[in-house]
């Protein structure tokens, strides 16, 4: 059985790091504004949608419930207003019916940065003794009141996120970690 030679492994890693040439640690900026491009925002919103599903509550995992803020510290700009709509033409999640064959409904999920409704199957709603809403479909996030140029001009430091290399959501702690591109 092979065993790991830890000192040799560490020496090899150090040598590879030195071979990179000049390596510097990025400056930490606590007041930088993150500007998300559409792909990154899409990933983030779909992770949020998973936290709004009734199945997380049924499985006794952490989840977001009605009345809870979706951002820490409150909105610093336009408050989040997120809805779901099954009737948008040419969209992937459009359809008149839920996966269970019941009528799909449009509705508001987040308003003013707070959860107002959640998605979930009829079965999960029955298990949790909640009314079935039929909320299903495509996520809809209206544009904010400021354009990209105005946002960049107002912030002293900006990090523009093109996409996430990975977006990991811990269902146990409701914490998010990500690697930016």
């Amino acid at each position: 059985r092979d065993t790991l030679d830890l000192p040799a492994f560490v020496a090899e890693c150090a040598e590879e790091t030195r071979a990179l040439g000049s390596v510097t640690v990025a400056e930490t900026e606590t007041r930088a504004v993150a500007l998300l491009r559409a792909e990154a925002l899409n990933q983030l919103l779909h992770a949020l949608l998973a936290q709004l599903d009734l199945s997380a509550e049924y499985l006794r995992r952490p989840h977001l419930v009605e009345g809870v803020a979706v951002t820490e510290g409150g909105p610093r700009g336009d408050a989040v207003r997120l809805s779901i709509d099954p009737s948008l033409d040419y969209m992937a999640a459009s359809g008149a019916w839920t996966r269970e064959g019941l009528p799909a409904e449009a509705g508001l999920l987040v308003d003013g940065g707070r959860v107002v409704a959640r998605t979930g199957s009829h079965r999960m709603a029955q298990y949790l003794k909640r009314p079935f809403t039929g909320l299903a479909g495509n996520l809809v996030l209206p544009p904010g009141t400021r354009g990209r140029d105005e946002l960049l001009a107002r912030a002293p430091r900006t990090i523009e996120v093109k996409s996430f290399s990975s977006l990991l959501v811990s269902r146990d702690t409701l914490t998010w970690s990500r690697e930016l591109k």
Side-chain angles (χ1 to χ4, degrees):
R1 178 175 169 170
D2 292 335
T3 59
L4 176 65
D5 180 2
L6 188 57
F9 176 74
V10 170
E12 183 181 335
C13 289
E15 181 62 32
E16 288 177 10
T17 302
R18 283 190 295 274
L20 292 173
S22 164
V23 177
T24 60
V25 177
E27 285 184 43
T28 301
E29 179 60 61
T30 58
R31 300 192 49 98
V33 172
L35 184 61
L36 302 179
R37 285 199 178 170
E39 182 182 340
L41 185 59
N42 180 46
Q43 288 177 284
L44 195 61
L45 292 177
H46 278 86
L48 174 62
L49 183 61
Q51 299 300 319
L52 296 174
D53 195 279
L54 292 174
S55 62
E57 181 178 348
Y58 176 74
L59 296 171
R60 296 185 180 177
R61 292 186 170 199
H63 50 277
L64 298 173
V65 297
E66 291 85 348
V68 172
V70 295
T71 58
E72 191 174 294
R76 292 178 187 88
D78 297 336
V80 176
R81 182 178 174 86
L82 182 67
S83 60
I84 196 162
D85 189 345
S87 66
L88 300 176
D89 289 338
Y90 309 110
M91 298 295 291
S94 290
W97 313 103
T98 68
R99 290 182 180 168
E100 297 171 302
L102 298 167
E105 299 289 335
L108 200 55
L109 298 175
V110 177
D111 191 24
R114 296 197 169 275
V115 176
V116 295
R118 296 168 55 204
T119 61
S121 67
H122 184 266
R123 181 177 59 145
M124 286 297 134
Q126 281 186 322
Y127 289 167
L128 295 169
K129 297 182 180 7
R130 292 172 151 254
F132 174 65
T133 63
L135 292 175
N138 307 284
L139 288 178
V140 178
L141 180 70
T145 58
R146 296 180 186 102
R148 181 181 184 275
D149 291 339
E150 183 182 349
L151 291 170
L152 290 172
R154 294 182 77 152
R157 291 202 47 155
T158 306
I159 299 170
E160 188 168 5
V161 180
K162 295 179 179 182
S163 67
F164 295 111
S165 297
S166 65
L167 178 62
L168 306 171
V169 179
S170 170
R171 293 180 180 201
D172 296 327
T173 61
L174 284 183
T175 56
W176 307 34
S177 64
R178 65 255 171 234
E179 180 180 312
L180 306 177
K181 286 185 183 177

